Amino acid sequence: LQIVGVGLPTWDYIVEAPFIPGPDSSIGVRLAARTGGGRVATALVTVCRLGHDASLIGQVSDDDIGRAITDELRTEGVSVDFLDNGTGQDGPKSFIIVLPRGERTILYHGGKLSSLRFSVQATHLIEKANALMLEQGYHALQPARVAADAAVPIICDIAYLDDEVFALAQLGAILIAGESVLNGSICRTAVQVVDTLVREGARAAIVTLGERGAVGRDGSGIHHVAAYSEDIVDTTGAGDVYRGAFTVGLLEGMEFQNAMNFAAIVAGLKCRAHGRSGIPGRDEVALRMYEGDSPVTEGQNNS
Ligand SMILES: Nc1ncnc2c1ncn2[C@@H]1O[C@H](COP(=O)(O)OP(=O)(O)OP(=O)(O)O)[C@@H](O)[C@H]1O
Ligand SMILES: [Mg+2]
């Protein structure tokens, strides 16, 4: 399978801290990782760990950090032929505080790179892909229209409901949100969010709920899938890994709910280590599933 993504990779500084310090204080932390991050970028790293091909359309800064991001992606097997490093030097960076139970707090510097331009070759790449992965707020609609016209499945990460999200829903995208989608939303519950998105035209929708698993809706109804957890060290990027694994599961032909189970195992395993280092390979996931460790399903099919 070949999965193409459009996303803005970041450079992450992940520190372990005993608590989040208050104003005008100072605490010692442990620098646990300096690593590439980013929503679609980390999803595509997951796709490659699971044995498929991925290509990232996006931008990096023209400096050592941009080169480090690119090198890491290349080492993971993600194609960087469409990563543009000619748009400036102020790339996005995240400063991430991880607490002892793995909860992450992100301080995000968006940076200031000039706008991404889609080449004709990038458009062709999308048309030939098995799926297109997008992140809300970063050039999502234009490639989504290309994918929709070519009947390429679209999977998009969303953080809040806005006009862009409803336009993506109308194109038949699969929309996956974190629980923060409820902040300031007219929807009170995750089930209301997925219902709303599917009513607006989304092929399916999922809200992930951290250690409480995820809720999804597709044509066959609502699905509740529990999280898979053992040793939780760092949950940074769990949502990104979940979306990459879900996409792989779906494209490999798993039923919707089985793809949610698969994604929960992969994302749960990711949490055992900092940054991307916990993302499992294929054999390890297969072993967990064989051992019957698949998450408990709490309810289904009440559409
Ligand atoms: N503490 C945890 N224990 C077990 N599984 C977890 C935990 N946190 C996240 N996961 C798994 O990862 C999935 C996505 O996590 P979550 O809902 O926290 O996304 P997010 O916080 O939006 O992600 P990100 O950190 O990438 O922005 C969950 O549905 C679950 O399967
Ligand atoms: Mg989380």
Side-chain angles (χ1 to χ4, degrees):
L1 296 170
Q2 159 76 13
I3 297 173
V4 173
V6 179
L8 186 61
T10 64
W11 189 245
D12 294 351
Y13 300 87
I14 302 179
V15 301
E16 275 180 329
F19 55 87
I20 298 190
D24 207 19
S25 59
S26 169
I27 60 167
V29 299
R30 189 179 81 85
L31 181 58
R34 271 173 299 188
T35 170
R39 294 170 286 167
V40 164
T42 298
L44 295 184
V45 167
T46 307
V47 166
C48 289
R49 294 253 178 118
L50 293 174
H52 296 287
D53 294 330
S55 183
L56 179 60
I57 300 170
Q59 305 161 266
V60 291
S61 53
D62 184 15
D63 60 4
D64 287 347
I65 287 180
R67 283 182 281 281
I69 292 171
T70 307
D71 287 347
E72 224 179 75
L73 288 169
R74 198 184 282 120
T75 303
E76 293 286 353
V78 177
S79 165
V80 291
D81 294 349
F82 290 88
L83 257 193
D84 185 352
N85 68 354
T87 54
Q89 298 201 317
D90 186 12
K93 295 165 195 75
S94 290
F95 305 89
I96 302 174
I97 303 168
V98 176
L99 297 179
R101 290 181 45 220
E103 304 102 316
R104 93 287 186 274
T105 301
I106 301 175
L107 310 172
Y108 180 63
H109 167 72
K112 212 181 267 169
L113 299 176
S114 59
S115 194
L116 175 73
R117 259 193 287 265
F118 285 96
S119 64
V120 177
Q121 291 93 320
T123 303
H124 288 327
L125 189 73
I126 293 168
E127 288 167 343
K128 285 185 310 195
N130 296 105
L132 174 67
M133 300 201 71
L134 301 169
E135 51 193 47
Q136 178 183 20
Y138 183 72
H139 304 285
L141 262 184
Q142 187 186 343
R145 291 200 184 97
V146 172
D149 285 345
V152 173
I154 303 163
I155 296 89
C156 185
D157 169 34
I158 65 172
Y160 47 89
L161 304 183
D162 67 357
D163 290 347
E164 186 185 41
V165 167
F166 290 119
L168 289 164
Q170 272 151 31
L171 290 172
I174 296 173
L175 300 169
I176 307 184
E179 198 171 14
S180 62
V181 73
L182 293 172
N183 299 341
S185 166
I186 45 162
C187 296
R188 294 272 181 75
T189 65
V191 170
Q192 282 176 11
V193 171
V194 295
D195 283 350
T196 301
L197 291 171
V198 170
R199 201 183 325 114
E200 291 289 325
R203 179 176 142 198
I206 298 174
V207 176
T208 62
L209 305 166
E211 64 188 0
R212 285 174 293 115
V215 176
R217 170 175 280 282
D218 70 345
S220 74
I222 288 276
H223 310 276
H224 295 270
V225 174
Y228 170 88
S229 58
E230 28 183 59
D231 307 323
I232 304 299
V233 171
D234 174 20
T235 63
T236 306
D240 309 328
V241 171
Y242 184 97
R243 287 188 304 281
F246 174 80
T247 301
V248 165
L250 206 63
L251 292 182
E252 286 183 359
M254 294 180 198
E255 299 283 345
F256 185 79
Q257 185 172 311
N258 291 341
M260 287 179 69
N261 272 321
F262 177 71
I265 293 175
V266 179
L269 284 169
K270 179 252 104 62
C271 296
R272 65 193 160 174
H274 289 99
R276 291 169 173 167
S277 56
I279 305 172
R282 191 77 209 203
D283 295 349
E284 196 178 0
V285 183
L287 187 68
R288 302 292 160 137
M289 297 186 83
Y290 177 77
E291 283 171 348
D293 275 343
S294 92
V296 185
T297 298
E298 291 156 350
Q300 65 192 90
N301 291 356
N302 52 8
S303 58

